[in-house]
Amino acid sequence: MEEQFQLLFEKIKMEMQKQSNELKESLTKNILDPMDEKPTPMIEENEKMKQKICNLEKEIEYFKTEKNTNNIVLYGLEESEKSTLELLNIVKETFKRNLNLSVEENEVNRIYRLGKNRIENKNTPVLLSFIYKQVEKTPNYVK
């Protein structure tokens, strides 16, 4: 009888180990496998976002440089003007006299002096921003 109990005990033990292994496999399959699958869409989305950020950075750089292509900085103009309109008229006269180019008021986006006049005998530069790029051929030099 003791032998039968021993055999029965061994069978029960083996059956329990088998069930334990099956339970482990089932848990692994049902819980851990889906966890491994979830990061994949997030990784793909992360890569897409990185690409989008890279494209936006390139676009920002393009707009920064494009913004400055319509600008001209003029040096050496005396600071005798009292208003922006007078400054524009001085610049128009200078362009006409020195470069034989006419600048119309409707072509100018904005005009102003850069910085503050801190030295008495030195004039601050003037930034002239056009609304659009000039298509005319202009000389390669400025007096």
Side-chain angles (χ1 to χ4, degrees):
M1 180 124 176
E2 196 172 309
E3 246 178 62
Q4 288 178 347
F5 277 127
Q6 190 68 22
L7 281 173
L8 184 61
F9 180 71
E10 287 295 320
K11 275 187 170 183
I12 291 173
K13 187 177 176 183
M14 297 267 282
E15 190 65 35
M16 286 180 74
Q17 281 181 342
K18 184 179 175 185
Q19 286 179 356
S20 175
N21 287 339
E22 287 176 358
L23 187 61
K24 280 181 186 177
E25 286 179 20
S26 174
L27 284 173
T28 302
K29 213 173 212 181
N30 292 334
I31 294 175
L32 295 179
D33 286 350
M35 290 176 110
D36 289 340
E37 293 173 7
K38 285 184 181 179
T40 305
M42 289 175 16
I43 290 171
E44 290 173 359
E45 185 178 353
N46 190 0
E47 289 300 319
K48 287 179 184 177
M49 295 292 232
K50 284 180 183 178
Q51 184 63 38
K52 216 174 206 181
I53 288 171
C54 185
N55 290 342
L56 289 172
E57 286 174 343
K58 287 178 184 177
E59 197 172 327
I60 287 171
E61 283 302 313
Y62 170 77
F63 284 126
K64 280 182 179 177
T65 56
E66 187 65 26
K67 177 182 133 188
N68 292 332
T69 57
N70 297 348
N71 295 347
I72 296 177
V73 178
L74 305 168
Y75 297 91
L77 288 177
E78 285 189 36
E79 293 191 34
S80 60
E81 75 278 351
K82 302 279 187 229
S83 68
T84 306
L85 186 59
E86 286 181 24
L87 178 61
L88 179 60
N89 288 332
I90 291 170
V91 168
K92 284 169 56 174
E93 290 172 14
T94 304
F95 269 64
K96 188 67 174 169
R97 182 179 59 244
N98 294 337
L99 300 173
N100 198 24
L101 293 173
S102 68
V103 176
E104 301 299 323
E105 287 181 30
N106 61 354
E107 296 175 328
V108 176
N109 186 20
R110 61 182 176 215
I111 183 169
Y112 56 91
R113 292 228 178 237
L114 299 172
K116 295 180 179 177
N117 187 1
R118 295 187 180 142
I119 302 171
E120 287 184 27
N121 296 332
K122 193 168 182 181
N123 299 315
T124 56
V126 174
L127 181 110
L128 176 64
S129 178
F130 290 98
I131 293 174
Y132 55 89
K133 292 180 188 176
Q134 296 289 9
V135 182
E136 296 178 29
K137 288 188 176 182
T138 57
N140 290 335
Y141 65 92
V142 177
K143 292 183 182 178

